[in-house]
Every structure is written in structure tokens, then in C-alpha cells.
Amino acid sequence: MNERPRSILANTGYRLFADVGSKVASLVFFVVMARELGDSRFGIFTFALSFAILATTPANFGQDVVLTREVARDRSRLGEYFANTLALKVVLATTSLGVAIGVAAVAGIDRETLEALLLLGPAVLLELLMATCFASYQAFERLDFIPVALISQRFVTAAVGIAALLHGAGVVTVSAIYLAGAALGFALALWFLLWKIARPQLRVEPRRWWPLMRASLAIGLAGVFAIVLFRVDTAMLAAFKPKDVVGDYGAAYRLLEATLFVAWSVGAAVYPVFSRLTVTSVPPVGPVFQRGLKLSIALTLPLAAGGLVLAGPLIRLLYGSSYGNAETALQLLTPAIALYPICYVTGYLLVSQDRQRVLTWVYGLVALENVLANLVLIPWLSLNGAALGTSISQLLVAVAFVAFAQRTAGRLDWSRIAAGPVVATLLAAGTMAVLRDELALAVPAGTAVYLVALVLFERFLFPEDARAVLKLLPRRA
């Protein structure tokens, strides 16, 4: 155990592999679910999952982020954080989830949705516990075990769920399968931590809970506001519009979510490195942050262009013609695909430098803006209003985070960060637009054009950045 930590690029690769595999499995699962259940019942599942995530936000109160930061600085502190973080999550989640489901039942929610909530709530909690194991991997810079645990969970869930759906399973059965998959994932994640990385003392000490909560308070509030920002649109859409509209929006939103893993992968790799560096360290945190940001933008900007240009063909291919209303919603969500990695990586930079209160204020104010905007946009534009509100909110967060990051780590050179990805993306978007009616040709052609253009641009104008992205930072023993 405690082998040499992997490089940033290797850790990014491991996390990308885990997230690509898991996202592919989840996307196939949700596509089959949407087709087999129909938009109304798919809307029930989408609402129940979003409700469960919102209801368990107190259990995702920044404890994992604090664990990674503090253990990355001093690995002997894993025993101090791990078991108590798990226990605190269980107490907070069961309490908040019980209250939320109770209120929903009293409010007269239909039985099928209630049963789905009772199954998806514990499933979301188990995934939160699995995330604590992953945070420990991250602190030790050993992300190579994440693919095994995460992909196993997602593929088993997808395989069993799809088989059940094809045999006529309903929303409740699918929710139960989702719960069983989450239990498998947590068991695997815990096993890898204890037997392959480190063996922290599994001793629960309630006296440590309040110090943990206090240390993570600002991050936790920011996390709550961020989850509200990402999930409240679905809940509000369900309050204003029929279930089939929620299902159409859920179809478009799943494609946005399918791209978020790129930012997560880069962030997971650079965050422990950010935590060890300062503006005066050698190397300083600023250049490492700039290159991490450049990497995340280069990986996600072409995805946004593809979603914008190929929205119609993608929706028809994945969901069928009955989800045609999701096309415009997906196009309106594509700015969020490009903006999210900026928000995510920059947020990690701020937390690593103990500027987490910035996240609280920014996410809090933008979440309020998002709710108020949706009160106007959803009645006016339906699901397209919800999508537009999401992209506007991500833009506001990105602008604010970058402004504070430059005060913390130094001024950013945006020509070095974004020029290559922007030029290559424009060329790729043009290629995909020409081949729009031939999706099987548009995607590989656009990808090839993007890669060639980006490599040539970076090689001739910023060769030192191309080399630095591959290295990013030498590993310590």
C-alpha cells in the first residue's frame, strides 16, 4: 500500500477512463429507460432522482473536499477524517431525506413517485459514501482504483436495468436496481481503499463532527447552492409543466451531464497538487492552474460545439422522434458544457488556497438568480427557459470565479489558455455543420479536424505549453 503517487496526466487519464465508462453505461441505461418507459414515466424517474439529490445535500456538505485538501497536505490525518465523514453523512442524509419525503407524502405526491423516492434516496446516500472513498484516493493521488469501482457499479446497474426494462419493468423496479448498483459500488470502493491504499482507523467519534462541519461549512454551503443551481430547474419545471415536458428536458439534460466528467477528471487530478502549492512555492500555483484550466477547456469546448451543431440528429438517434422538443433545449444547454470546466477547476483552485468563502457567496447569489429567472423563463419558454437559465447561471459563476482566481493566483493569459481550443473548435464546428445530416461521418470528421488543428496551433505558437500539459508537475516520491 501507499505506492508512489501517479502523475497528474495519469490521474486525469484514470479519472477520464472511469467517467467515460460510467457515463457511457449510464447514458445507454437512461436512453433505454426513456424509450421503454415513455416520457411521462421517465419524467417520474428524473424528478425522483433530482429530488433525492436535492434532499441529501446536507450530507454532501464539503466534507470530502476538506478531507482531500487536508490529507493531501498530511496523509497521516486520513484516520481523523474518514470514518467520521462517513458517519456524519449517514446521520445528515437520513434525517434530511426522511423529512423531505415525509413532506412530499403529506403534500399528496402519487404513489409511484413516492416509492421511487424511497428507493432512490438511499441509493444517492450510498453514492455519497462512495465519493468519500474516492476523496481518499484523490488525497493519495491514487485515482487508478476509481475506474474499477465506478465502472463496475454503472455497468452492472445498466445491464440489469436494461434487461428488466426490456422485460416490462416499471419505474419502481428500475429504482430498486439503481439502489442495488449503488450498494455494490460503495462496497467495492471501500474494499479498494482498505486493502490497496491505506487502512485508516474506522472509529466513529461524534465529538469530531462539529469541527468537521465547521471546517467544511463554507464549502458545504457552496455545494448546496451548486446542487440547487443544477437541480432546481427540473423540480420547478415539474411544478409548472406536465411530466412529458420534464421527460423531454431530462433527455437533453442527460447529454449535458454526460460531458461533466471531463472537468471532474481534470479537477480530481490537479486539486491535491493545488493544495500543496502557493503563489510563492516552487513551482507556484498560478502556472499549474493555468495549464490545468487549458487542458479542461481543450477537452470540453469541442463537445459544446458538437452539441450545438448536431443536437437534432443526436436527440433522434438516442431517444427517437418523440423527444423532438429536446433539441432546442440541448442547444441552449451547450454554453454550460463549455463554461462548467472553468467553474469547476477554478473553484478547486480557490478552495486549495483557503478561499472557499468565495464559492459560498457566488453560488448562493447565482442560485437565487437561477430560481428567480426560472420563475419567469419556465412559464414563458417551458423547458427551453430552464435550459437558458442554466447556461446564464454558469456564465455568471465562471466570470465571478475567474475574477477571484486572478486575485489569488495571478493574472491569466487567456490567449495561451483558449486561443488554440477556440480556433480548432470553430474549424471542427464548420466540418460538423457541413456533414450534419450524416452523423456517422460528422462526429469522426469533426474530431479529426479538431485534433489536427489544435496540435498544429499549439506546436507552432505555444510549444512550451504543449510540453507542460504532458508533464504538468513532477511527482514527489
Side-chain angles (χ1 to χ4, degrees), residues 41 73 83 134 172 199 243 253 278 312 323 372 390-391 397 426 467:
R41 285 208 160 128
R73 295 170 176 172
F134 292 168
V172 175
R199 294 184 182 177
K243 291 177 181 177
Y253 202 86
T278 67
Y323 284 84
L372 295 176
T390 295
S391 290
V397 173
L426 290 174
R467 291 191 297 268

Side-chain angles (χ1 to χ4, degrees), residues 173-193:
T173 301
V174 172
S175 300
I177 292 169
Y178 193 96
L179 171 59
L184 171 65
F186 173 60
L188 286 172
L190 184 61
W191 187 86
F192 281 120
L193 174 64

